[in-house]
């Protein structure tokens, strides 16, 4: 009997990246594999996509070193840049590209003793107020000093991030951010490469299809939009989180289930216990009745999610057996829907799949 397993479909990853390429045919693709490739397995995903992506992006140096250690030779971009001088030397050694968002990072790069120059992208803030300056002068100063430094490959690039490309009600703000990006590039005479689009931008903002785009969530077949699933976008979900029925109980109407007796059988029914809980990454906030896929149909959760298990109401006519396969999310049951039922976004659910969950790669 299988306990909880994240089955990763390699063909889906390849399909998704090719689909993304068809959507932004003029752009090079940086597959974003931060946070353990959104829970799908950092090195395994990089292996699958090594023939498809033009580069990979991560947030932390440790993630980049893991990729290099694994033998990944494609360019790797550090989206948050470096946090001290000694890391700059590693950038050069390991041939990593880095975003540069402030003077501290600039000075670390200027000061470092490097064996060869480093590829840099100046990070500009165009409306998110996360990383980078929004001030034209400050961005220009960082650009000029980088381009003057012998430690830096010339010309430097410009990178920024859209904050509302997935939010239809903020369309005007989204346009304003794109205007600002191109205004910065033009006014400061950036002759290096530009990188703007994320997943939502690739679908909704053709102007964000710059030299490089940075697809994250869509690489995994998941939608960045609240009102659409990956399948609606022509994508195939790469992860199936599955487990088995490990206990079956015949309940009488009125029987109370689980911690806190949070669910009471409304009629005589059959209760299934599934070997998957919040200790595996299934959200405890999933509301009662969140769908689970068992033997070709949706059944509702019943009772509070436990650390290692959850309950499902299989219904009075259940023919289900011990060991039957259960899908918590996957192509049969969109993770977007489970996220909505849990008050979160699908990004968080896939990122939070816990280390104890077996990963199985197919295709
Ligand atoms: C995470 C991230 C991405 C990918 O975002 P998605 O919405 O998953 O496509 C792209 N760029 C930056 C800077 C990021 O931090």
């Amino acid at each position: 009997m299988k306990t909880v397993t994240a089955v990763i479909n390699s063909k889906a990853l390849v399909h998704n990246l090719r689909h993304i390429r068809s959507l932004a045919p003029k752009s090079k693709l940086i597959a974003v594999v931060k946070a353990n490739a959104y829970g799908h397995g950092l090195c395994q995903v990089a292996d699958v996509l090594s023939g498809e992506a033009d580069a990979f992006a991560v947030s932390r140096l440790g993630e980049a070193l893991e990729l290099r250690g694994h033998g990944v030779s494609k360019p790797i971009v550090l989206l948050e840049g470096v946090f001290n001088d000694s890391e700059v030397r590693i950038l050069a050694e390991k041939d990593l590209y880095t975003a540069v968002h402030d003077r501290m990072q600039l000075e670390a790069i200027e000061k470092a003793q490097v064996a060869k120059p480093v590829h840099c992208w100046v990070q500009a803030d165009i409306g998110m107020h996360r990383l980078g300056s929004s001030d034209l002068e400050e961005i220009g100063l960082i650009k000029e000093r980088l381009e003057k430094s012998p430690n830096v490959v010339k010309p430097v690039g410009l990178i920024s991030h859209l904050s509302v490309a997935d939010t239809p009600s903020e369309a005007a703000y989204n346009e304003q951010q794109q205007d600002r990006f191109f205004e910065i590039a033009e006014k400061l005479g950036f002759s290096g490469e530009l990188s703007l689009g994320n997943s939502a931008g690739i679908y909704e903002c053709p102007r964000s299809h710059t030299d490089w785009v940075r697809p994250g969530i869509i690489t995994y077949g998941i939608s960045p939009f609240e009102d659409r699933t990956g399948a609606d976008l022509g994508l195939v979900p790469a992860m199936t989180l599955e487990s088995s029925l490990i206990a079956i109980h015949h309940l009488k109407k009125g029987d109370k289930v689980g911690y806190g007796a949070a669910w009471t059988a409304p009629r005589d029914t059959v209760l299934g216990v599934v070997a998957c809980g919040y200790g595996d990454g299934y959200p405890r906030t999933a509301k009662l009745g969140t769908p689970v896929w068992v033997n070709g149909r949706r059944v509702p959760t019943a009772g509070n999610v436990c650390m290692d298990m959850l309950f499902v109401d299989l219904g009075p006519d259940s023919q289900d057996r011990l060991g039957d396969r259960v899908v918590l999310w996957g192509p049969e049951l969109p993770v977007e829907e489970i996220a909505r039922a849990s008050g979160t976004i699908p990004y968080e659910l896939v990122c939070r799949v816990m280390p104890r969950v077996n990963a199985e790669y197919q295709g």
Side-chain angles (χ1 to χ4, degrees), residues 90-277:
I90 303 175
L91 291 182
E93 254 167 52
K94 300 290 179 185
D95 201 19
L96 306 176
Y97 292 25
T98 189
V100 180
H101 70 84
D102 69 357
R103 286 198 197 197
M104 204 177 79
Q105 293 188 330
L106 164 70
E107 283 160 16
I109 291 167
E110 287 176 328
K111 270 195 295 190
Q113 303 277 328
V114 291
K116 57 181 176 189
V118 175
H119 288 267
C120 294
W121 279 344
V122 180
Q123 180 118 43
D125 170 28
I126 54 175
M128 187 168 195
H129 304 301
R130 191 168 69 172
L131 292 180
S133 174
S134 56
D135 178 59
L136 207 59
E137 256 178 56
E138 181 68 14
I139 302 166
L141 176 142
I142 292 175
K143 171 184 184 283
E144 270 168 38
R145 276 175 56 179
L146 284 173
E147 290 187 333
K148 264 196 212 124
S149 167
N151 289 350
V152 175
V153 175
K154 272 140 282 251
V156 299
L158 177 66
I159 185 169
S160 193
H161 197 48
L162 298 165
S163 68
V164 290
D166 62 345
T167 313
S169 60
E170 289 288 352
Y173 192 43
N174 188 39
E175 287 308 309
Q176 191 185 318
Q177 291 185 21
Q178 293 173 81
D179 291 344
R180 180 66 177 160
F181 182 79
F182 293 106
E183 184 192 354
I184 293 167
E186 196 190 304
K187 284 204 169 143
L188 296 177
F190 273 91
S191 56
E193 293 189 303
L194 309 182
S195 179
L196 183 56
N198 56 357
S199 291
I202 288 167
Y203 275 90
E204 293 294 331
C205 317
R207 283 202 290 157
S208 76
H209 299 179
T210 44
D211 299 301
W212 294 89
V213 289
R214 306 186 305 275
I217 196 80
I218 56 177
T219 303
Y220 309 97
I222 300 168
S223 170
F225 307 108
E226 219 177 84
D227 60 342
R228 280 164 281 174
T229 64
D232 295 336
L233 300 174
L235 304 168
V236 179
M239 180 192 289
T240 304
L241 186 69
E242 59 180 59
S243 188
S244 305
L245 286 175
I246 60 166
I248 290 175
H249 305 291
H250 292 266
L251 299 191
K252 291 272 175 256
K253 178 178 176 181
D255 284 349
K256 293 173 188 296
V257 169
Y259 288 119
W263 187 77
T264 303
R267 53 175 167 16
D268 292 0
T269 191
V270 179
L271 185 79
V273 179
V274 180
C276 178

Side-chain angles (χ1 to χ4, degrees), residues 38 154 356 363:
Y38 292 51
K154 272 140 282 251
R356 80 171 182 189

Side-chain angles (χ1 to χ4, degrees), residues 1-7 241-244 274-277 279-281 308 328 353 356-359:
M1 197 183 303
K2 224 184 205 178
T3 60
V4 60
T5 303
V7 179
L241 186 69
E242 59 180 59
S243 188
S244 305
V274 180
C276 178
D280 301 299
D308 312 307
L328 288 316
V353 171
R356 80 171 182 189
V357 174
N358 303 311

Side-chain angles (χ1 to χ4, degrees), residues 291-306:
V292 171
W293 185 262
V294 182
N295 289 322
R297 71 193 194 284
R298 288 161 173 247
V299 295
T301 56
N304 284 328
V305 174
C306 310

